[in-house]
Amino acid sequence: MKPTRAADHYVPTYFLASLGAGGLSVTFFMYLMFWVPHPGRPVPVFEDILTAFSTGALPMKIAILVAWLGIAVFVFLNLKYLIWNLGQYAALKKTERFQALRNSNAESTMLAMPLALAMSVNALFVAGMVYVPGLWPVVEYLFPFAMIAFGIIGWIALSIIGDFLGRVLAKGGVFDVTSHNSFAQMLPAFALSMVGVGFAAPAAMSHVPWIVATGLVLSTFFAVAALIYALVALTTAFNSMLHYGTHEESGPTLLIVIPIVTILSILFMRQAHGLHTFEGHSDPASTMMFLARMLSLQVVFLGLGLVVLKRQGYFKDFVFGSKTSPGSYALVCPGVALSVLIQFFVNAGLVQAGVIEKFSVIYWAITAIAFGFQFAMIALVFRLNAQHFSRTQATPVPAE
C-alpha cells in the first residue's frame, strides 16, 4: 500500500490547523503585552520590546526571547497551513465532492476559510508590531487597509452564510436535524466574531475619530451577528444532541464556545478602550467582573465538553490513538482561548483592580494555569500535525 497522509482526504475543516497556530502566536504575544512597559501606547512595539530587552533583568530577557521565538514559529506555521489550505480548497471546489458538501450540513465548514484568513491578518499584525521597527509612527495609515482586509473577509463569510441559510430556510427537508447533534454549526459564529475583533483593533488603537467610529460600528455589527447565530445554533444543537447523542467525531465542537467567548471579550474590551476617543470610560472593577463572568462561562463549557469527550473516548481514539479526524484541530482553539483570557483576567482584571500585585506569588500561581494550557496546546499542535501531515499506512476516519 502506498503511504498517504490523512490530510490527503481534504475537507475545509483543515483550515483549523492554520487557525490554531495563529492563536498560539497570540499566547506568546501576551508575554510582551503584559510584561513589557509600553507607555503612551495600548500595545508594545519593536522599540518597547528592544528597550525592555536591553535594560531588563535576566527573567525579562528570557521571556522576550521565548516570545520572539514563539511568535515567529507559530506565525510561520499559521501562514504555511493557510497557503496549503487555500490551494487544497481551490482544488476541492472543482470536484463533485465539493458540490455534495455544499448540499449538506457540512456546508457550514466552509466558514473555516474566512475564519483562518481573519486569524492570519491578526497574526501578521502581531508580527509587525514585534519585528518591524518604526511601525507605530505610520500605523494610522495602515488601519484603513486593515479594515478593508477585514471587510473583504467579512463579506466572504456573510456570503457563505447567506448561501447556506438561503438553501436550508427557503424550503424544508434539506437540513438533516439528526446530524445536527454537535456544535459544528457554531463555526459561522466563530468566523463572524473573528472578523469583529479585527475591526475592533483600529477602534482601540487609532486616534483618528472616523477610524475609531468605523471600527466601533463594524465590530459591533459582527459581534451582534455572531451572538445571534450562536444562540440559534446552540439551542437547536442541544435539542438534537438530547435526541441523538453527540456525534463522536464532532465532539470537540462542544468546546467551540470557549474561543468565541475569548474573541468577543477582547472585542468588547477594545471597544471600551476606543470609546475613550468620545469621552467614554470604564473602570478596572467593571473590567475585572466582566472578565470573571466570561471566564466562568468558559469553564462551564469546558466541563461540559470534557465530560462528553471522556465518555466517548475521543482522546484515546483520535489524539493518542490511530484514528484521525480533521475535527481534532478544534481542540486547539479552546486551550489557546483559555490561556489568553486568563492572562487578561490576571493583568487587565485582578492587577488593574488592585486585587493582587503584579509579579507576586499569587500572580504567578494563576498565570501558571495559562502557561499550562499554552504548553499543552503546543504539544497538541505538533501531535496533530504529525498525525495528519506525515506519510502513513493508516486510513483516516472520513470527515463530515
Side-chain angles (χ1 to χ4, degrees):
M1 181 185 294
K2 181 181 178 181
T4 60
R5 303 179 305 173
D8 291 334
H9 301 261
Y10 181 75
V11 290
T13 310
Y14 272 115
F15 274 104
L16 298 182
S18 172
L19 177 73
L24 279 170
S25 71
V26 176
T27 64
F28 284 100
F29 182 69
M30 292 296 97
Y31 297 7
L32 307 176
M33 177 74 180
F34 294 119
W35 302 344
V36 170
H38 44 94
R41 282 186 280 263
V43 291
V45 295
F46 177 82
E47 289 77 10
D48 300 317
I49 300 167
L50 190 62
T51 298
F53 185 80
S54 302
T55 61
L58 181 61
M60 176 66 80
K61 295 179 187 293
I62 294 174
I64 291 173
L65 286 174
V66 171
W68 265 337
L69 178 62
I71 292 169
V73 168
F74 287 103
V75 169
F76 169 77
L77 289 177
N78 166 261
L79 296 176
K80 172 186 175 182
Y81 288 116
L82 177 68
I83 294 169
W84 177 82
N85 268 283
L86 290 173
Q88 294 293 315
Y89 186 76
L92 177 67
K93 290 178 70 174
K94 301 174 183 178
T95 66
E96 293 182 1
R97 194 158 61 90
F98 181 74
Q99 297 306 316
L101 180 145
R102 291 200 65 179
N103 289 288
S104 69
N105 288 18
E107 183 179 6
S108 61
T109 63
M110 294 166 57
L111 270 298
M113 184 262 288
L115 172 61
L117 286 172
M119 180 73 253
S120 293
V121 174
N122 285 313
L124 286 171
F125 197 80
V126 166
M129 290 187 293
V130 172
Y131 300 118
V132 179
L135 183 66
W136 193 253
V138 299
V139 74
E140 291 287 3
Y141 299 101
L142 300 178
F143 288 143
F145 293 102
M147 289 196 292
I148 290 171
F150 283 113
I152 294 171
I153 296 169
W155 178 255
I156 293 172
L158 291 171
S159 297
I160 297 172
I161 292 171
D163 288 342
F164 175 65
L165 292 180
R167 179 176 64 83
V168 301
L169 296 179
K171 56 182 179 178
V174 297
F175 185 81
D176 186 358
V177 179
T178 63
S179 299
H180 186 33
N181 52 339
S182 71
F183 287 171
Q185 296 301 325
M186 290 282 286
L187 196 58
F190 197 176
L192 292 171
S193 61
M194 187 67 77
V195 173
V197 80
F199 275 118
M205 290 185 279
S206 178
H207 296 286
V208 179
W210 76 264
I211 292 179
V212 176
T214 302
L216 287 171
V217 171
L218 291 176
S219 62
T220 297
F221 168 78
F222 281 98
V224 170
L227 287 169
I228 293 173
Y229 204 106
L231 180 62
V232 173
L234 278 174
T235 304
T236 55
F238 259 118
N239 181 59
S240 185
M241 287 189 290
L242 289 172
H243 280 83
Y244 308 107
T246 303
H247 186 273
E248 182 184 11
E249 194 184 346
S250 300
T253 63
L254 295 181
L255 302 172
I256 199 172
V257 172
I258 298 173
I260 293 175
V261 168
T262 289
I263 292 169
L264 291 178
S265 297
I266 295 172
L267 184 155
F268 293 136
M269 285 190 291
R270 285 177 172 178
Q271 287 185 331
H273 190 83
L275 285 173
H276 290 183
T277 302
F278 306 107
E279 304 301 324
H281 300 284
S282 60
D283 60 273
S286 297
T287 300
M288 179 185 70
M289 289 308 302
F290 167 73
L291 291 171
R293 294 184 187 105
M294 296 302 100
L295 196 56
S296 298
L297 182 60
Q298 289 181 319
V299 171
V300 169
F301 277 93
L302 176 66
L304 171 66
L306 291 181
V307 164
V308 175
L309 289 170
K310 182 179 179 181
R311 289 289 184 93
Q312 291 180 331
Y314 187 92
F315 292 97
K316 180 181 66 177
D317 291 339
F318 292 98
V319 178
F320 303 110
S322 59
K323 294 182 180 179
T324 57
S325 167
S328 297
Y329 278 100
L331 293 171
V332 177
C333 300
V336 168
L338 280 163
S339 178
V340 170
L341 199 64
I342 290 171
Q343 289 272 26
F344 271 97
F345 176 63
V346 172
N347 293 277
L350 298 177
V351 172
Q352 289 297 317
V355 176
I356 63 174
E357 185 179 348
K358 193 168 187 176
F359 303 142
S360 63
V361 173
I362 187 65
Y363 175 93
W364 289 117
I366 303 174
T367 302
I369 301 173
F371 291 157
F373 281 114
Q374 180 189 27
F375 298 149
M377 293 307 102
I378 291 171
L380 179 60
V381 162
F382 286 111
R383 166 65 179 171
L384 293 177
N385 288 350
Q387 281 184 311
H388 289 263
F389 293 94
S390 297
R391 299 287 174 180
T392 178
Q393 299 286 351
T395 302
V397 174
E400 294 288 342

